[in-house]
PDB file of all heavy atoms in Angstrom:
ATOM      1  N   GLY A 392     -32.949   2.171 -18.980  1.00 88.00           N
ATOM      2  CA  GLY A 392     -33.215   1.964 -17.563  1.00 88.00           C
ATOM      3  C   GLY A 392     -32.258   2.722 -16.659  1.00 88.00           C
ATOM      4  O   GLY A 392     -32.038   2.310 -15.517  1.00 88.00           O
ATOM      5  N   LEU A 393     -31.658   3.805 -17.177  1.00 90.00           N
ATOM      6  CA  LEU A 393     -30.698   4.635 -16.439  1.00 90.00           C
ATOM      7  C   LEU A 393     -29.399   3.900 -16.127  1.00 90.00           C
ATOM      8  O   LEU A 393     -28.645   4.310 -15.236  1.00 90.00           O
ATOM      9  CB  LEU A 393     -31.310   5.157 -15.125  1.00 90.00           C
ATOM     10  CG  LEU A 393     -32.600   5.984 -15.257  1.00 90.00           C
ATOM     11  CD1 LEU A 393     -33.088   6.423 -13.876  1.00 90.00           C
ATOM     12  CD2 LEU A 393     -32.378   7.182 -16.152  1.00 90.00           C
ATOM     13  N   LYS A 394     -29.106   2.835 -16.870  1.00 91.00           N
ATOM     14  CA  LYS A 394     -27.861   2.108 -16.619  1.00 91.00           C
ATOM     15  C   LYS A 394     -26.641   2.966 -16.932  1.00 91.00           C
ATOM     16  O   LYS A 394     -25.596   2.820 -16.294  1.00 91.00           O
ATOM     17  CB  LYS A 394     -27.830   0.827 -17.450  1.00 91.00           C
ATOM     18  CG  LYS A 394     -28.740  -0.268 -16.889  1.00 91.00           C
ATOM     19  CD  LYS A 394     -28.507  -1.589 -17.597  1.00 91.00           C
ATOM     20  CE  LYS A 394     -29.064  -1.550 -19.009  1.00 91.00           C
ATOM     21  NZ  LYS A 394     -28.990  -2.884 -19.668  1.00 91.00           N
ATOM     22  N   GLY A 395     -26.756   3.870 -17.896  1.00 90.00           N
ATOM     23  CA  GLY A 395     -25.645   4.768 -18.196  1.00 90.00           C
ATOM     24  C   GLY A 395     -25.291   5.655 -17.009  1.00 90.00           C
ATOM     25  O   GLY A 395     -24.118   5.852 -16.688  1.00 90.00           O
ATOM     26  N   GLN A 396     -26.314   6.205 -16.349  1.00 93.00           N
ATOM     27  CA  GLN A 396     -26.068   7.035 -15.169  1.00 93.00           C
ATOM     28  C   GLN A 396     -25.441   6.219 -14.037  1.00 93.00           C
ATOM     29  O   GLN A 396     -24.534   6.677 -13.344  1.00 93.00           O
ATOM     30  CB  GLN A 396     -27.378   7.672 -14.704  1.00 93.00           C
ATOM     31  CG  GLN A 396     -27.988   8.661 -15.693  1.00 93.00           C
ATOM     32  CD  GLN A 396     -29.210   9.347 -15.120  1.00 93.00           C
ATOM     33  OE1 GLN A 396     -29.414   9.384 -13.912  1.00 93.00           O
ATOM     34  NE2 GLN A 396     -30.050   9.874 -16.021  1.00 93.00           N
ATOM     35  N   PHE A 397     -25.927   5.003 -13.866  1.00 94.00           N
ATOM     36  CA  PHE A 397     -25.377   4.149 -12.816  1.00 94.00           C
ATOM     37  C   PHE A 397     -23.921   3.787 -13.106  1.00 94.00           C
ATOM     38  O   PHE A 397     -23.086   3.749 -12.197  1.00 94.00           O
ATOM     39  CB  PHE A 397     -26.223   2.881 -12.668  1.00 94.00           C
ATOM     40  CG  PHE A 397     -27.614   3.145 -12.174  1.00 94.00           C
ATOM     41  CD1 PHE A 397     -28.699   2.439 -12.681  1.00 94.00           C
ATOM     42  CD2 PHE A 397     -27.861   4.114 -11.203  1.00 94.00           C
ATOM     43  CE1 PHE A 397     -29.986   2.678 -12.235  1.00 94.00           C
ATOM     44  CE2 PHE A 397     -29.149   4.365 -10.752  1.00 94.00           C
ATOM     45  CZ  PHE A 397     -30.214   3.650 -11.264  1.00 94.00           C
ATOM     46  N   ARG A 398     -23.625   3.516 -14.385  1.00 94.00           N
ATOM     47  CA  ARG A 398     -22.234   3.214 -14.746  1.00 94.00           C
ATOM     48  C   ARG A 398     -21.330   4.405 -14.481  1.00 94.00           C
ATOM     49  O   ARG A 398     -20.192   4.247 -14.008  1.00 94.00           O
ATOM     50  CB  ARG A 398     -22.153   2.799 -16.220  1.00 94.00           C
ATOM     51  CG  ARG A 398     -22.620   1.385 -16.497  1.00 94.00           C
ATOM     52  CD  ARG A 398     -22.221   0.948 -17.894  1.00 94.00           C
ATOM     53  NE  ARG A 398     -22.915   1.748 -18.905  1.00 94.00           N
ATOM     54  CZ  ARG A 398     -24.056   1.404 -19.476  1.00 94.00           C
ATOM     55  NH1 ARG A 398     -24.660   0.268 -19.119  1.00 94.00           N
ATOM     56  NH2 ARG A 398     -24.614   2.161 -20.399  1.00 94.00           N
ATOM     57  N   TYR A 399     -21.842   5.609 -14.771  1.00 95.00           N
ATOM     58  CA  TYR A 399     -21.042   6.818 -14.529  1.00 95.00           C
ATOM     59  C   TYR A 399     -20.793   7.014 -13.032  1.00 95.00           C
ATOM     60  O   TYR A 399     -19.676   7.335 -12.603  1.00 95.00           O
ATOM     61  CB  TYR A 399     -21.759   8.038 -15.113  1.00 95.00           C
ATOM     62  CG  TYR A 399     -21.010   9.329 -14.923  1.00 95.00           C
ATOM     63  CD1 TYR A 399     -19.737   9.500 -15.444  1.00 95.00           C
ATOM     64  CD2 TYR A 399     -21.583  10.390 -14.218  1.00 95.00           C
ATOM     65  CE1 TYR A 399     -19.050  10.692 -15.278  1.00 95.00           C
ATOM     66  CE2 TYR A 399     -20.903  11.581 -14.044  1.00 95.00           C
ATOM     67  CZ  TYR A 399     -19.635  11.724 -14.575  1.00 95.00           C
ATOM     68  OH  TYR A 399     -18.953  12.901 -14.398  1.00 95.00           O
ATOM     69  N   LYS A 400     -21.838   6.812 -12.234  1.00 95.00           N
ATOM     70  CA  LYS A 400     -21.667   6.917 -10.788  1.00 95.00           C
ATOM     71  C   LYS A 400     -20.698   5.859 -10.262  1.00 95.00           C
ATOM     72  O   LYS A 400     -19.908   6.117  -9.345  1.00 95.00           O
ATOM     73  CB  LYS A 400     -23.020   6.778 -10.086  1.00 95.00           C
ATOM     74  CG  LYS A 400     -23.951   7.960 -10.293  1.00 95.00           C
ATOM     75  CD  LYS A 400     -25.268   7.758  -9.546  1.00 95.00           C
ATOM     76  CE  LYS A 400     -26.196   8.952  -9.736  1.00 95.00           C
ATOM     77  NZ  LYS A 400     -27.489   8.749  -9.027  1.00 95.00           N
ATOM     78  N   LEU A 401     -20.741   4.671 -10.850  1.00 95.00           N
ATOM     79  CA  LEU A 401     -19.832   3.605 -10.436  1.00 95.00           C
ATOM     80  C   LEU A 401     -18.385   3.956 -10.775  1.00 95.00           C
ATOM     81  O   LEU A 401     -17.466   3.691  -9.985  1.00 95.00           O
ATOM     82  CB  LEU A 401     -20.234   2.298 -11.123  1.00 95.00           C
ATOM     83  CG  LEU A 401     -19.715   1.000 -10.514  1.00 95.00           C
ATOM     84  CD1 LEU A 401     -20.197   0.850  -9.082  1.00 95.00           C
ATOM     85  CD2 LEU A 401     -20.163  -0.186 -11.355  1.00 95.00           C
ATOM     86  N   LEU A 402     -18.176   4.570 -11.930  1.00 95.00           N
ATOM     87  CA  LEU A 402     -16.829   4.999 -12.309  1.00 95.00           C
ATOM     88  C   LEU A 402     -16.335   6.122 -11.394  1.00 95.00           C
ATOM     89  O   LEU A 402     -15.157   6.151 -11.005  1.00 95.00           O
ATOM     90  CB  LEU A 402     -16.815   5.465 -13.764  1.00 95.00           C
ATOM     91  CG  LEU A 402     -17.002   4.365 -14.825  1.00 95.00           C
ATOM     92  CD1 LEU A 402     -17.139   4.990 -16.200  1.00 95.00           C
ATOM     93  CD2 LEU A 402     -15.838   3.390 -14.791  1.00 95.00           C
ATOM     94  N   GLN A 403     -17.226   7.060 -11.055  1.00 96.00           N
ATOM     95  CA  GLN A 403     -16.847   8.118 -10.126  1.00 96.00           C
ATOM     96  C   GLN A 403     -16.510   7.542  -8.753  1.00 96.00           C
ATOM     97  O   GLN A 403     -15.534   7.968  -8.105  1.00 96.00           O
ATOM     98  CB  GLN A 403     -17.985   9.134 -10.001  1.00 96.00           C
ATOM     99  CG  GLN A 403     -18.150  10.038 -11.206  1.00 96.00           C
ATOM    100  CD  GLN A 403     -19.260  11.051 -10.994  1.00 96.00           C
ATOM    101  OE1 GLN A 403     -20.346  10.720 -10.525  1.00 96.00           O
ATOM    102  NE2 GLN A 403     -18.980  12.294 -11.333  1.00 96.00           N
ATOM    103  N   SER A 404     -17.319   6.586  -8.311  1.00 96.00           N
ATOM    104  CA  SER A 404     -17.042   5.941  -7.034  1.00 96.00           C
ATOM    105  C   SER A 404     -15.720   5.181  -7.077  1.00 96.00           C
ATOM    106  O   SER A 404     -14.964   5.171  -6.100  1.00 96.00           O
ATOM    107  CB  SER A 404     -18.180   4.980  -6.675  1.00 96.00           C
ATOM    108  OG  SER A 404     -17.946   4.359  -5.428  1.00 96.00           O
ATOM    109  N   GLY A 405     -15.409   4.570  -8.218  1.00 95.00           N
ATOM    110  CA  GLY A 405     -14.121   3.894  -8.378  1.00 95.00           C
ATOM    111  C   GLY A 405     -12.961   4.852  -8.304  1.00 95.00           C
ATOM    112  O   GLY A 405     -11.896   4.526  -7.757  1.00 95.00           O
ATOM    113  N   ASN A 406     -13.148   6.056  -8.841  1.00 96.00           N
ATOM    114  CA  ASN A 406     -12.116   7.087  -8.739  1.00 96.00           C
ATOM    115  C   ASN A 406     -11.902   7.498  -7.285  1.00 96.00           C
ATOM    116  O   ASN A 406     -10.767   7.625  -6.821  1.00 96.00           O
ATOM    117  CB  ASN A 406     -12.517   8.298  -9.586  1.00 96.00           C
ATOM    118  CG  ASN A 406     -11.484   9.402  -9.535  1.00 96.00           C
ATOM    119  OD1 ASN A 406     -10.291   9.150  -9.465  1.00 96.00           O
ATOM    120  ND2 ASN A 406     -11.946  10.645  -9.564  1.00 96.00           N
ATOM    121  N   ASP A 407     -13.004   7.690  -6.561  1.00 96.00           N
ATOM    122  CA  ASP A 407     -12.893   8.032  -5.133  1.00 96.00           C
ATOM    123  C   ASP A 407     -12.222   6.900  -4.351  1.00 96.00           C
ATOM    124  O   ASP A 407     -11.397   7.153  -3.463  1.00 96.00           O
ATOM    125  CB  ASP A 407     -14.279   8.314  -4.552  1.00 96.00           C
ATOM    126  CG  ASP A 407     -14.947   9.527  -5.175  1.00 96.00           C
ATOM    127  OD1 ASP A 407     -14.222  10.375  -5.730  1.00 96.00           O
ATOM    128  OD2 ASP A 407     -16.182   9.630  -5.120  1.00 96.00           O
ATOM    129  N   LEU A 408     -12.585   5.672  -4.687  1.00 96.00           N
ATOM    130  CA  LEU A 408     -12.002   4.527  -3.990  1.00 96.00           C
ATOM    131  C   LEU A 408     -10.504   4.427  -4.261  1.00 96.00           C
ATOM    132  O   LEU A 408      -9.717   4.124  -3.350  1.00 96.00           O
ATOM    133  CB  LEU A 408     -12.699   3.241  -4.436  1.00 96.00           C
ATOM    134  CG  LEU A 408     -12.215   1.942  -3.774  1.00 96.00           C
ATOM    135  CD1 LEU A 408     -12.405   2.008  -2.267  1.00 96.00           C
ATOM    136  CD2 LEU A 408     -12.954   0.745  -4.352  1.00 96.00           C
ATOM    137  N   ALA A 409     -10.098   4.708  -5.490  1.00 96.00           N
ATOM    138  CA  ALA A 409      -8.668   4.681  -5.815  1.00 96.00           C
ATOM    139  C   ALA A 409      -7.910   5.743  -5.022  1.00 96.00           C
ATOM    140  O   ALA A 409      -6.770   5.515  -4.588  1.00 96.00           O
ATOM    141  CB  ALA A 409      -8.464   4.892  -7.313  1.00 96.00           C
ATOM    142  N   GLY A 410      -8.541   6.906  -4.822  1.00 96.00           N
ATOM    143  CA  GLY A 410      -7.914   7.938  -3.993  1.00 96.00           C
ATOM    144  C   GLY A 410      -7.765   7.488  -2.545  1.00 96.00           C
ATOM    145  O   GLY A 410      -6.744   7.752  -1.896  1.00 96.00           O
ATOM    146  N   LEU A 411      -8.793   6.798  -2.044  1.00 96.00           N
ATOM    147  CA  LEU A 411      -8.711   6.280  -0.671  1.00 96.00           C
ATOM    148  C   LEU A 411      -7.648   5.193  -0.561  1.00 96.00           C
ATOM    149  O   LEU A 411      -6.921   5.120   0.452  1.00 96.00           O
ATOM    150  CB  LEU A 411     -10.072   5.716  -0.250  1.00 96.00           C
ATOM    151  CG  LEU A 411     -11.180   6.743   0.008  1.00 96.00           C
ATOM    152  CD1 LEU A 411     -12.515   6.036   0.235  1.00 96.00           C
ATOM    153  CD2 LEU A 411     -10.837   7.623   1.214  1.00 96.00           C
ATOM    154  N   MET A 412      -7.530   4.356  -1.575  1.00 96.00           N
ATOM    155  CA  MET A 412      -6.518   3.312  -1.556  1.00 96.00           C
ATOM    156  C   MET A 412      -5.113   3.916  -1.596  1.00 96.00           C
ATOM    157  O   MET A 412      -4.185   3.404  -0.952  1.00 96.00           O
ATOM    158  CB  MET A 412      -6.709   2.356  -2.735  1.00 96.00           C
ATOM    159  CG  MET A 412      -8.029   1.580  -2.692  1.00 96.00           C
ATOM    160  SD  MET A 412      -8.258   0.624  -1.173  1.00 96.00           S
ATOM    161  CE  MET A 412      -6.948  -0.572  -1.359  1.00 96.00           C
ATOM    162  N   LEU A 413      -4.951   5.005  -2.334  1.00 97.00           N
ATOM    163  CA  LEU A 413      -3.661   5.699  -2.343  1.00 97.00           C
ATOM    164  C   LEU A 413      -3.354   6.262  -0.962  1.00 97.00           C
ATOM    165  O   LEU A 413      -2.229   6.136  -0.463  1.00 97.00           O
ATOM    166  CB  LEU A 413      -3.671   6.821  -3.384  1.00 97.00           C
ATOM    167  CG  LEU A 413      -2.440   7.749  -3.383  1.00 97.00           C
ATOM    168  CD1 LEU A 413      -1.164   6.957  -3.652  1.00 97.00           C
ATOM    169  CD2 LEU A 413      -2.611   8.855  -4.416  1.00 97.00           C
ATOM    170  N   ARG A 414      -4.351   6.880  -0.342  1.00 96.00           N
ATOM    171  CA  ARG A 414      -4.149   7.413   1.011  1.00 96.00           C
ATOM    172  C   ARG A 414      -3.817   6.281   1.985  1.00 96.00           C
ATOM    173  O   ARG A 414      -2.935   6.425   2.837  1.00 96.00           O
ATOM    174  CB  ARG A 414      -5.414   8.152   1.463  1.00 96.00           C
ATOM    175  CG  ARG A 414      -5.292   8.725   2.876  1.00 96.00           C
ATOM    176  CD  ARG A 414      -6.559   9.449   3.298  1.00 96.00           C
ATOM    177  NE  ARG A 414      -6.446   9.920   4.664  1.00 96.00           N
ATOM    178  CZ  ARG A 414      -5.889  11.058   5.036  1.00 96.00           C
ATOM    179  NH1 ARG A 414      -5.384  11.862   4.108  1.00 96.00           N
ATOM    180  NH2 ARG A 414      -5.812  11.412   6.303  1.00 96.00           N
ATOM    181  N   SER A 415      -4.520   5.170   1.863  1.00 96.00           N
ATOM    182  CA  SER A 415      -4.253   4.027   2.737  1.00 96.00           C
ATOM    183  C   SER A 415      -2.834   3.521   2.551  1.00 96.00           C
ATOM    184  O   SER A 415      -2.144   3.188   3.529  1.00 96.00           O
ATOM    185  CB  SER A 415      -5.261   2.911   2.444  1.00 96.00           C
ATOM    186  OG  SER A 415      -4.986   1.771   3.222  1.00 96.00           O
ATOM    187  N   GLU A 416      -2.381   3.460   1.303  1.00 96.00           N
ATOM    188  CA  GLU A 416      -1.013   3.001   1.035  1.00 96.00           C
ATOM    189  C   GLU A 416       0.009   3.980   1.606  1.00 96.00           C
ATOM    190  O   GLU A 416       1.054   3.559   2.137  1.00 96.00           O
ATOM    191  CB  GLU A 416      -0.819   2.856  -0.473  1.00 96.00           C
ATOM    192  CG  GLU A 416       0.431   2.093  -0.871  1.00 96.00           C
ATOM    193  CD  GLU A 416       0.429   0.667  -0.372  1.00 96.00           C
ATOM    194  OE1 GLU A 416      -0.500  -0.082  -0.687  1.00 96.00           O
ATOM    195  OE2 GLU A 416       1.380   0.306   0.357  1.00 96.00           O
TER     196      GLU A 416
END
Side-chain angles (χ1 to χ4, degrees):
L393 302 180
K394 285 190 288 187
Q396 295 185 20
F397 294 141
R398 283 193 295 267
Y399 180 60
K400 290 181 179 179
L401 199 60
L402 290 173
Q403 286 182 315
S404 181
N406 180 35
D407 296 338
L408 181 60
L411 289 173
M412 296 303 294
L413 173 60
R414 179 180 177 85
S415 177
E416 193 62 57

